[in-house]
């Protein structure tokens, strides 16, 4: 069932012992597997007020969303409109798919080629290895799937409800940044977004490797449905904190594109997933992405970032990961005219 992560671990460990990784570029300081950190609860926002609340409640809810996005880059939403029935079925189907033999998963024709991923193909040292497997699925794979299986219909329901929530939140954030527009409605359509199902197997060396390397998300915003095992950590006030799981909430985090689009008002925060020695962890993420040709225009008279297309951003990220072993992201797009 599990991908051959142990073999990759042994190979990378042997490399380190024999000092054959001398040419590996210096890893950022945050890329070190640390000891226990403080567990906190993210801001919790009842987003039903956006629909059912009086004007005063709606305004208060909008401000809570904007404040959390400015100060944390992460928050939780309750009464979010995605039914527990859909969430439960999504988890059941996800577990069933990951229980299949590794060979079957890696050769699966259920989704487009390359959707199944495991470990970190570009890893040259242990700190770059992610102890996890995933199906990273373009929404076109779901909407165009003629073989309407249980998992495809479940993913369709989950993605449709996630899409509605994502657009609601994006419109609120645009409004609160002073840029109320139709950008998200026009550029972030169903076929440009992604769904990712993650599984983090138990790891015999939890102090040496990550479940998922420290990173920021290359999208506008992410909706995460996770189980109660825990392991998600993020940077707040220059230190790592652990996110306390909330069974009633979904986690929302701001991506790189929203940070650029808002001229740094909203924060795309570095986060990671820690491994667990005895328990596996599951999560499902919905990524709100624009079309590849969409241009991200930084707002304000003194834009921090230059204009760039989503295609250019993705290509730069892929190039950096291949060359350096990790993502650089927005610093590559700083506007040097100001």
């Amino acid at each position: 069932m599990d991908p051959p992560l142990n073999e990759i671990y042994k190979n990378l460990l042997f490399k380190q012992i024999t000092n054959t990784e001398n040419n590996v570029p210096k890893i950022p300081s945050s890329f070190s597997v640390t000891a226990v950190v403080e567990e906190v609860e993210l801001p919790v926002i009842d987003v039903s007020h956006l629909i059912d609340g009086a004007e005063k409640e709606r305004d208060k809810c909008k401000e809570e969303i904007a404040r959390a996005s400015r100060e944390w880059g992460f928050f939780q939403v309750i009464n979010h409109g995605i039914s527990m029935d859909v969430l439960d079925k999504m988890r059941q189907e996800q577990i069933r798919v990951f229980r299949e033999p590794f060979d079957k998963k890696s050769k699966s024709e259920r989704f487009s080629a390359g959707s199944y991923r495991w470990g970190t193909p570009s890893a040259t040292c242990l700190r770059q290895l992610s102890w996890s497997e995933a199906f990273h699925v373009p929404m076109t794979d779901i909407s165009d799937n003629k073989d309407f299986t249980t998992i495809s219909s479940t993913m369709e329901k989950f993605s449709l409800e996630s899409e509605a929530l994502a657009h609601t939140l994006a419109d609120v954030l645009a409004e609160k940044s002073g840029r109320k527009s139709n950008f998200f409605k026009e550029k972030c359509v169903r076929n440009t977004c992604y769904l990712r199902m993650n599984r983090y197997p138990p790891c015999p060396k939890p102090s040496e490797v990550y479940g998922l390397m420290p990173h920021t998300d290359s999208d506008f915003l992410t909706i995460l449905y996770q189980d109660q095992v825990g392991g998600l950590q993020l940077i707040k006030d220059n230190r790592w904190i652990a996110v306390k799981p909330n069974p009633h909430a979904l986690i929302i985090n701001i991506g790189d594109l929203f940070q650029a689009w808002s001229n740094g008002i909203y924060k795309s925060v570095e986060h990671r997933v820690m491994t667990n020695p005895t328990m596996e962890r599951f999560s499902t993420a919905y990524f709100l992405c624009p079309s590849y040709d969409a241009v991200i225009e930084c707002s304000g008279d003194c834009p921090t970032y230059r204009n760039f297309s989503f295609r250019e951003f993705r290509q730069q990220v892929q190039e950096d990961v291949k060359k350096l072993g990790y993502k650089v992201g927005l610093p590559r797009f700083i506007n040097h005219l100001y």
Side-chain angles (χ1 to χ4, degrees):
M1 180 180 75
D2 288 349
L5 292 164
N6 273 305
E7 292 177 27
I8 302 299
Y9 169 83
K10 290 174 185 176
N11 291 338
L12 292 173
L13 181 63
F14 178 77
K15 266 189 174 183
Q16 290 185 183
I17 293 173
T18 55
N19 294 318
T20 57
E21 62 162 348
N22 294 332
N23 295 326
V24 176
K26 190 177 187 320
I27 307 300
S29 58
S30 61
F31 281 45
S32 57
V33 183
T34 56
V36 177
V37 297
E38 179 188 3
E39 186 178 60
V40 301
E41 186 164 24
L42 296 176
V44 180
I45 301 171
D46 185 346
V47 291
S48 67
H49 294 311
L50 293 174
I51 300 171
D52 303 328
E55 185 177 356
K56 190 174 181 180
E57 287 180 317
R58 288 200 305 273
D59 291 343
K60 182 174 180 288
C61 185
K62 290 178 181 180
E63 180 51 40
E64 287 176 349
I65 291 168
R67 186 187 307 117
S69 300
R70 293 191 304 265
E71 297 177 0
W72 287 78
F74 271 78
F75 57 95
Q76 299 176 100
V77 293
I78 56 173
N79 297 321
H80 40 68
I82 303 180
S83 71
M84 281 308 301
D85 181 55
V86 168
L87 294 175
D88 288 343
K89 285 180 179 175
M90 186 71 238
R91 181 55 33 80
Q92 291 167 14
E93 289 301 312
Q94 178 180 7
I95 292 173
R96 186 176 64 80
V97 168
F98 280 118
R99 288 282 181 267
E100 293 178 347
F102 171 68
D103 286 346
K104 185 175 180 180
K105 287 183 288 191
S106 59
K107 298 172 184 175
S108 175
E109 296 181 356
R110 182 181 286 112
F111 309 115
S112 57
S115 294
Y116 178 69
R117 305 171 182 185
W118 62 275
T120 311
S122 60
T124 56
C125 64
L126 286 178
R127 285 176 297 175
Q128 294 175 349
L129 175 62
S130 290
W131 198 273
S132 55
E133 60 178 334
F135 282 98
H136 192 81
V137 185
M139 294 308 301
T140 47
D141 279 15
I142 302 170
S143 57
D144 295 347
N145 193 336
K146 304 300 183 225
D147 179 20
F148 215 57
T149 59
T150 308
I151 188 166
S152 64
S153 61
T154 303
M155 291 174 76
E156 175 88 358
K157 291 174 185 174
F158 177 84
S159 61
L160 284 173
E161 295 184 9
S162 296
E163 177 187 1
L165 175 60
H167 277 271
T168 296
L169 296 172
D171 288 344
V172 167
L173 290 168
E175 178 186 336
K176 297 301 289 185
S177 69
R179 289 189 74 184
K180 193 170 183 178
S181 76
N182 291 322
F183 179 88
F184 301 101
K185 186 176 182 180
E186 295 171 354
K187 302 297 184 182
C188 300
V189 297
R190 182 167 307 161
N191 288 351
T192 66
C193 299
Y194 293 84
L195 202 64
R196 183 181 176 101
M197 299 183 291
N198 301 299
R199 175 179 175 261
Y200 301 89
C203 177
K205 302 288 185 180
S207 64
E208 297 180 30
V209 294
Y210 294 112
L212 196 60
M213 280 175 60
H215 67 286
T216 56
D217 287 355
S218 301
D219 63 352
F220 273 103
L221 60 82
T222 304
I223 298 174
L224 181 73
Y225 170 49
Q226 63 167 353
D227 62 20
Q228 300 305 295
V229 173
L232 177 63
Q233 298 184 354
L234 59 96
I235 288 182
K236 178 75 166 76
D237 300 326
N238 297 314
R239 65 191 179 96
W240 285 103
I241 58 172
V243 175
K244 184 178 181 180
N246 181 335
H248 306 293
L250 297 174
I251 291 176
I252 311 296
N253 68 277
I254 300 300
D256 297 335
L257 304 187
F258 231 137
Q259 177 168 319
W261 195 81
S262 68
N263 199 20
I265 293 175
Y266 305 130
K267 302 293 187 265
S268 179
V269 173
E270 193 172 29
H271 51 286
R272 64 189 185 187
V273 176
M274 308 306 284
T275 52
N276 189 297
T278 59
M279 301 178 70
E280 62 183 345
R281 175 180 182 266
F282 292 94
S283 68
T284 304
Y286 173 88
F287 299 97
L288 182 67
C289 299
S291 62
Y292 278 177
D293 293 332
V295 176
I296 313 305
E297 297 183 7
C298 188
S299 61
D301 296 329
C302 299
T304 303
Y305 307 99
R306 66 173 178 82
N307 293 350
F308 57 88
S309 69
F310 185 43
R311 174 180 281 104
E312 183 183 2
F313 187 80
R314 287 274 300 240
Q315 287 174 344
Q316 183 65 62
V317 167
Q318 290 166 0
E319 185 179 313
D320 285 333
V321 169
K322 187 176 181 180
K323 183 177 179 181
L324 305 174
Y326 59 89
K327 168 186 169 180
V328 177
L330 283 178
R332 294 288 195 201
F333 298 89
I334 294 292
N335 187 350
H336 295 291
L337 297 177
Y338 294 94

